[in-house]
Every structure is written in C-alpha cells, then in structure tokens.
Amino acid sequence: MSPTTTGTELTVDEVRTIAINSARLDRVDNDPGRALRDLGIVQLDSINALARAHQLTLATRTTSLTARQIDEALWGGPEPIAFDYPAHALALLPLRDWPLWAFRRRATRRRPDYPDSATARALLRHVEQHGPVTMKDLRGDGDAGDGWNWSPTKTAVEYLVWSGELACTRRTNWQRLFDLPHRVVPAELLTDALDDRQCQLELLNRAGRVLGVATIDDLADYIRIPKPLTRQLLPDTVLRPVGVHGWSAPTWAHPDALERTRPPDRATFLGPFDNLIWHRPRVARLFDFTHTLEAYKPAAQRVHGYYVCPLLVGTRLVGRADLARREQTMTVLRLTLDDLTPNTIDGFVHACHDLARAVGCAEVTIAPNATDDHLRRTLLRSLAGPS
C-alpha cells in the first residue's frame, strides 16, 4: 500500500496537532494510572534535579497532582497497577500489559549472557524466602559495582526481571522492590501465551495510537524493535498509510488519531524524557527543534544546561529552560526562548507556575545569569503577577 491509496494527505501543522493530542497532553483528569495506560510506556530515570522523569511525564497529563501524589497513586494502593520493564529504556508499564511483553521475556532467556542456573536459583530462593527485597538486600559485601559498571548480582537481577522470573511492581524511597511474579501479578495476566507476532502487532497498534502519525522509524523506536520487523508487521496492524507534505518516508496513522485535530491551547514544560520528545529525528521533523539530553555531558560541553525542559506553547516548541528544585524554590538556571512574543512570555509564566506546583515548590526564580538582564526582569515581573 502507498500513502495515496487512503486519500489522506496531511500538512506538518496537522500532524503536529495530532501528535500532541495523541500524546495525551490534553490533561482530562487526575488519574495517573489512566495516563500510564494511555501512553503504554513512561520512561524512568534516576536524575532528581527537578523531579523524577516519570513524575514530570505524568504531571503534564493530569490536572493538579503533585509528584508525591503521583507516586502514591502508582505505588501506594492496595494492589499494584504498574511494573518496571525495559520497554523503551527502563520504563514504567501498566500491569495489565504484562502479557504483551512475552516476546521480550522469551528473547532474554535465549541470550548467551543470561545468568547461569545456579546463580538464578540462588537469587530466586532468596527472594522467595525474604521478598519483596531491594537490590541492596540482594547484593553482598563487595558486590556494589563500580561507577557505570553493574555488579554481578545487579546484572543477574536485571536479566531475571527482563525474563519475567522476577518482577518489580513497587518502589520505596525510589528503591525497587523485587518479588516473584506469581505474588504480585494477577493470575489472569501472568502468561506468555501470546506469540511474538501477536505481542508486537498489538504494541505497534498502541504505539501508533500514542504517536498519532508516525514513520516506520518512529514506531520501531517507541517499542524498541527492529525497523525491518516493523515494516513487515505494519500491513497487519490497524494503522493506515497517509501522506505528509514534505515527508519522503512512508508514514502511518492510527484511525482514532485522525479525529484529534483540535489545536491544543496550553503551555507546559516537557520533561527531558517525555514521550512526545523521545525520538530526536521525529522532534526535528515535527517541530524544527533540536532536543539533546546534556545531563551526562561534562559541564563545559553543555550548550543549554544540565536538566533542560523544552517549552511547548500551543503546537510549537518555543524554547528551553534548565530547571532545578531546591526545597520550596524552582530555579531557572538557563533560559533560551526562540521568540519574545506575548504568547511565548505568557506561556513561559503559566508553564513555570504549573510545574512549580507539580514538583512541590512555592516560588519560581530566575538565576542572574540565566538570560539577559532585560528579559530576566520582564519575566520576573510576570512571574510575580497573578498565575
């Protein structure tokens, strides 16, 4: 099939609107569990300069919850609703989607570096007797690893999680709690019955719904499967080919997404791990915007800062801010705005107030060297006015 067989031709402006709405940035309720189910995957990361990555992603998709309330909803209820898994990097997934990742669990068990049976049995026996347990509980003296290098125990535990022999459905003080799957995953979900193709087809359908309109490269990146496999599977998904003016790559759309064409009217800071900006080529294609994570670069090599959050106003990414939280104050450490229209200034102010509330800050300030003096004074006056 070619894009012309559907008769659907879209402009980049239309695709951008569809993409933002499909990524659930309309914030319709205060249910982080529902937002997680809609997105399918929410990336996790340990950096906490502002808030955790998953907290920022879910805060932009709920109406008034704080980071603390989001974590309480995810991990504080009587029954687990999510699990950690390497879907798109290490991520948080809805527990109901456990069956869909059977293809990756099977692939993990076939890896030549999978833990030997004696190591696996010892770890599983310890968890059975003492679980749920943290990684620290599982590691013995002298098994802490070195910097970026994983210790032998951590390596084995990660593989056991990837293969489904261990599960993480809870965290305490950010530490993962590992347990045996049959103790934390409902029996009706604890299955590898779906074959690889069934898993991948359904996950591609869901990725298409979240992305709205996407190339093969975009879809493959969302669930981290090879592009040739994605190309092979696409004709059997619910997605359909569309044309986008100026794009040469074959492009596909979810039928539901094509109905979501009302331009969004909000301003928000996107966390650097937000689903909308995961795939850098897609960000450039949609927004004519370059997004780079610089947290792991040496300070002298950073262009925009350590924890940089792009600013979305309406359907445009109009700038970026390096943000940090300390006690009750959120500080803009460095700021770049692509234009200084009233709409951008108002968007910056509203986005600052919303984000400060979400991360538990009562005050927003701008560092003296964050931008030029005139703009800093203008923004500080606006921030001090009604929010």
Side-chain angles (χ1 to χ4, degrees):
M1 297 178 69
S2 66
T4 56
T5 62
T6 67
T8 302
E9 292 287 331
L10 302 168
T11 67
V12 175
D13 286 346
E14 289 171 326
V15 173
R16 192 161 50 240
T17 294
I18 291 169
I20 293 168
N21 289 338
S22 296
R24 205 189 183 279
L25 283 160
D26 46 359
R27 300 198 311 176
V28 295
D29 58 35
N30 259 346
D31 185 349
R34 191 195 314 275
L36 174 61
R37 291 192 296 274
D38 288 347
L39 293 172
I41 305 169
V42 170
Q43 193 167 342
L44 295 162
D45 192 80
S46 61
I47 298 176
N48 197 24
L50 179 64
R52 302 290 184 188
H54 71 283
Q55 294 169 333
L56 295 175
T57 298
L58 293 174
T60 62
R61 289 156 175 90
T62 52
T63 52
S64 61
L65 294 185
T66 64
R68 182 185 299 274
Q69 290 170 323
I70 286 169
D71 280 2
E72 289 173 353
L74 292 173
W75 295 305
E79 300 295 334
I81 65 171
F83 69 106
D84 286 20
Y85 199 68
H88 180 101
L90 181 60
L92 195 65
L93 280 64
L95 192 58
R96 71 176 188 180
D97 286 357
W98 180 278
L100 297 179
W101 295 91
F103 81 99
R104 188 154 293 168
R105 292 193 289 271
R106 284 189 287 263
T108 300
R109 297 180 201 123
R110 295 193 295 266
R111 290 180 60 149
D113 49 354
Y114 193 70
D116 63 82
S117 57
T119 299
R121 281 198 304 270
L123 287 169
L124 294 172
R125 189 180 306 115
H126 183 91
V127 174
E128 181 179 17
Q129 295 172 353
H130 304 286
V133 295
T134 66
M135 186 70 76
K136 183 178 180 180
D137 296 327
L138 289 167
R139 287 198 301 241
D141 293 339
D143 188 45
D146 178 20
W148 290 102
N149 297 318
W150 288 3
S151 72
T153 298
K154 177 174 171 59
T155 300
V157 170
E158 298 295 351
Y159 275 118
L160 292 173
V161 170
W162 301 348
S163 71
E165 294 192 68
L166 287 178
C168 172
T169 61
R170 303 278 189 185
R171 285 179 178 248
T172 177
N173 296 324
W174 187 240
Q175 297 298 306
R176 290 180 290 173
L177 293 174
F178 302 100
D179 210 336
L180 300 179
H182 73 266
R183 298 203 291 218
V184 294
V185 180
E188 66 272 18
L189 298 176
L190 192 60
T191 175
D192 282 1
L194 296 178
D195 64 32
D196 288 7
R197 183 179 178 83
Q198 289 171 313
C199 294
Q200 292 156 353
L201 283 172
E202 180 56 25
L203 288 170
L204 279 175
N205 285 333
R206 297 186 183 199
R209 183 182 293 113
V210 179
L211 295 172
V213 177
T215 66
I216 292 170
D217 188 35
D218 301 335
L219 291 161
D221 176 78
Y222 201 85
I223 58 174
R224 295 292 171 88
I225 64 173
K227 285 185 284 186
L229 176 60
T230 303
R231 184 180 295 107
Q232 174 189 338
L233 292 170
L234 271 169
D236 293 327
T237 67
V238 301
L239 309 181
R240 69 192 204 197
V242 295
V244 180
H245 297 308
W247 290 13
S248 59
T251 305
W252 299 69
H254 194 286
D256 294 347
L258 295 177
E259 306 300 320
R260 301 173 66 88
T261 57
R262 181 179 179 180
D265 182 23
R266 66 171 298 201
T268 188
F269 278 113
L270 300 174
F273 299 95
D274 192 278
N275 298 51
L276 183 64
I277 55 175
W278 272 353
H279 195 41
R280 307 302 191 250
R282 183 171 186 256
V283 176
R285 199 185 320 121
L286 279 176
F287 297 99
D288 191 24
F289 187 92
T290 300
H291 172 57
T292 304
L293 179 65
E294 299 184 289
Y296 300 110
K297 291 183 177 181
Q301 296 179 17
R302 295 175 192 143
V303 176
H304 297 289
Y306 177 76
Y307 204 72
V308 177
C309 296
L311 175 61
L312 178 69
V313 177
T315 61
R316 296 176 57 225
L317 291 176
V318 298
R320 64 200 92 208
D322 181 16
L323 301 171
R325 181 199 73 251
R326 185 172 183 180
E327 298 179 350
Q328 294 292 303
T329 300
M330 185 178 85
T331 301
V332 180
L333 299 173
R334 195 179 305 181
L335 176 66
T336 304
L337 296 178
D338 294 340
D339 66 58
L340 299 180
T341 64
N343 192 49
T344 295
I345 299 298
D346 289 346
F348 169 82
V349 171
H350 285 297
C352 279
H353 286 305
D354 280 352
L355 182 56
R357 174 200 49 75
V359 301
C361 290
E363 180 184 7
V364 180
T365 189
I366 303 174
N369 59 346
T371 187
D372 68 80
D373 288 343
H374 176 72
L375 178 58
R376 178 174 180 267
R377 289 194 297 269
T378 299
L379 294 174
L380 285 173
R381 285 195 299 270
S382 297
L383 286 166
S387 61

